[in-house]
Amino acid sequence: MISFLLRKLIDLLTNLASAIDFNRSAYLDFHSRPDDIFIVTYPRSGTTWMQMILYQLTTDGNMDFPHISQVSPWFDRLILYNIMDGSDLEKLPSPRIFKSHLSYKNIPKGSCKYIYVARDGEDVAVSYFYFYTSHLNFKGTFSEFFDKYFMRGKVQFGSWFTHVADWQQHENDSNVLFLRYEDLINDLKGTLQKIINFCEFKVAEERFPEILEKCSYPFMKKYENKFDHISGMIWEKGYKQNSFIRKGQTGSGKEYLTSQQKNSFNKKLNKLNLFGRDPQ
Ligand code: PPS
């Protein structure tokens, strides 16, 4: 029974990509700008890293944002879950930096730029297996995930092979920068320079050490809550983390209630003869 339900869940997730196709009309009112940048990837290929890189290259790099989605929204999710419509998208300041897992066919076209990040497919499979286990309640083994789901393209965004092959056909397009996760690992500084040239950013040379530090694995790991999908969903719903064990002190009531609120509270309290309180 459980494996049947699990199978259903995975089929449902697999249909996500086609659901996005189905919802295509929803983003037809999207108007691209020449300085829009779409970071496009197959999942687990370095999307979040690229979001952080572009955030660092286009701002002063402060870490005040609650979640990376606030400064670099996930386009497909905004559309699919009606989080934003065309007019909301219009209000976002330039340069708009969107994350997307859409295929080339389905990505909005226009005057904008696309940075595609591809990663070794075997490494993607392992990373995706761990993601399915930690975030999507997958209970099977790696072999099961690999043979039954990943290799058959029965995962959230379909086949890795199709996704990469599809985008690779456009690697020489003038508005596409085709990068590899492995380039970022082997030569982060050189790859940042390629991005700067492609996007025509102006970044002062003296900012580089700080940018490299903030885009490093240890730095991003330390701020993991600002990147994790789980905290992203919590932020999206407006919930605040680290506010459950609040102050742990007496006297907030005195501070917050108006005298009218205190009077009506006391009236009720006195009728019931509950435990004594200091007169106000
Ligand atoms: S997702 O779920 O599609 O948004 O995932 P995505 O961000 O594309 O990929 C997650 C993997 O990227 C790794 N990552 C990094 N590697 C090196 N340096 C930095 N700064 C960095 N930030 C994210 C992350 O660890 C995931 O890979 P694995 O192999 O699972 O560790």
Side-chain angles (χ1 to χ4, degrees):
M1 179 66 180
I2 289 178
S3 66
F4 170 78
L5 287 176
L6 195 64
R7 183 87 206 192
K8 281 270 162 226
L9 174 72
I10 292 185
D11 283 348
L12 209 80
L13 292 170
T14 309
N15 289 335
L16 190 65
S18 38
I20 291 167
D21 282 4
F22 182 72
N23 274 267
R24 257 196 106 200
S25 56
Y27 63 76
L28 290 180
D29 63 346
F30 170 74
H31 301 289
S32 70
R33 301 178 192 157
D35 54 5
D36 282 340
I37 299 167
F38 279 89
I39 297 167
V40 194
T41 58
Y42 185 83
R44 312 307 292 167
S45 302
T47 333
T48 318
W49 196 3
M50 190 52 69
Q51 285 177 287
M52 180 60 162
I53 290 171
L54 288 187
Y55 173 72
Q56 291 300 322
L57 294 177
T58 53
T59 67
D60 66 4
N62 74 71
M63 292 300 291
D64 297 342
F65 57 84
H67 191 268
I68 193 72
S69 301
Q70 191 201 37
V71 292
S72 170
W74 184 355
F75 189 83
D76 332 354
R77 210 177 138 73
L78 299 182
I79 300 305
L80 188 63
Y81 295 101
N82 285 325
I83 297 169
M84 282 189 183
D85 61 17
S87 68
D88 296 321
L89 291 170
E90 275 308 306
K91 287 178 204 142
L92 295 176
S94 288
R96 297 181 299 185
I97 294 163
F98 297 111
K99 152 183 171 169
S100 176
H101 294 311
L102 290 176
S103 63
Y104 185 81
K105 182 177 91 170
N106 289 329
I107 201 90
K109 307 293 187 305
S111 51
C112 47
K113 292 187 165 80
Y114 308 91
I115 298 182
Y116 188 85
V117 189
R119 184 182 186 183
D120 176 279
E122 294 177 3
D123 290 354
V124 168
V126 175
S127 181
Y128 218 175
F129 163 69
Y130 279 105
F131 181 77
Y132 260 68
T133 305
S134 58
H135 287 65
L136 297 172
N137 204 23
F138 181 72
K139 301 279 188 229
T141 61
F142 173 72
S143 286
E144 223 177 302
F145 173 79
F146 185 78
D147 296 336
K148 284 195 193 157
Y149 302 107
F150 186 80
M151 285 304 284
R152 294 179 189 173
K154 285 192 162 289
V155 280
Q156 278 177 317
F157 285 86
S159 162
W160 174 84
F161 299 91
T162 312
H163 202 282
V164 177
D166 180 32
W167 272 94
Q168 200 167 358
Q169 283 182 25
H170 297 275
E171 67 179 327
N172 294 320
D173 291 6
S174 60
N175 58 349
V176 175
L177 179 65
F178 194 93
L179 294 176
R180 297 203 46 176
Y181 175 89
E182 294 74 20
D183 300 334
L184 295 166
I185 291 281
N186 295 328
D187 180 13
L188 184 56
K189 191 171 178 193
T191 313
L192 291 195
Q193 201 53 62
K194 273 191 196 164
I195 297 167
I196 291 171
N197 295 344
F198 173 73
C199 297
E200 300 175 72
F201 291 150
K202 288 192 176 28
V203 182
E205 182 66 33
E206 57 270 23
R207 282 208 57 228
F208 260 82
E210 185 199 328
I211 293 174
L212 291 172
E213 154 67 12
K214 287 189 171 161
C215 295
S216 68
Y217 175 86
F219 186 90
M220 287 184 61
K221 181 74 185 166
K222 187 169 152 205
Y223 286 89
E224 191 167 10
N225 268 345
K226 292 183 186 282
F227 302 108
D228 189 337
H229 288 203
I230 296 172
S231 38
M233 284 194 278
I234 291 172
W235 165 75
E236 211 170 78
K237 289 199 180 301
Y239 300 141
K240 293 205 170 41
Q241 283 181 294
N242 306 322
S243 54
F244 180 72
I245 307 286
R246 197 185 61 91
K247 229 172 144 186
Q249 290 173 9
T250 61
S252 290
K254 266 193 198 141
E255 200 186 314
Y256 278 70
L257 273 67
T258 63
S259 44
Q260 202 182 0
Q261 288 169 331
K262 280 175 190 159
N263 282 340
S264 64
F265 184 88
N266 282 333
K267 252 189 221 157
K268 267 200 163 179
L269 186 74
N270 292 339
K271 264 192 212 152
L272 292 169
N273 200 21
L274 289 181
F275 65 92
R277 306 178 68 233
D278 293 340
Q280 303 297 305

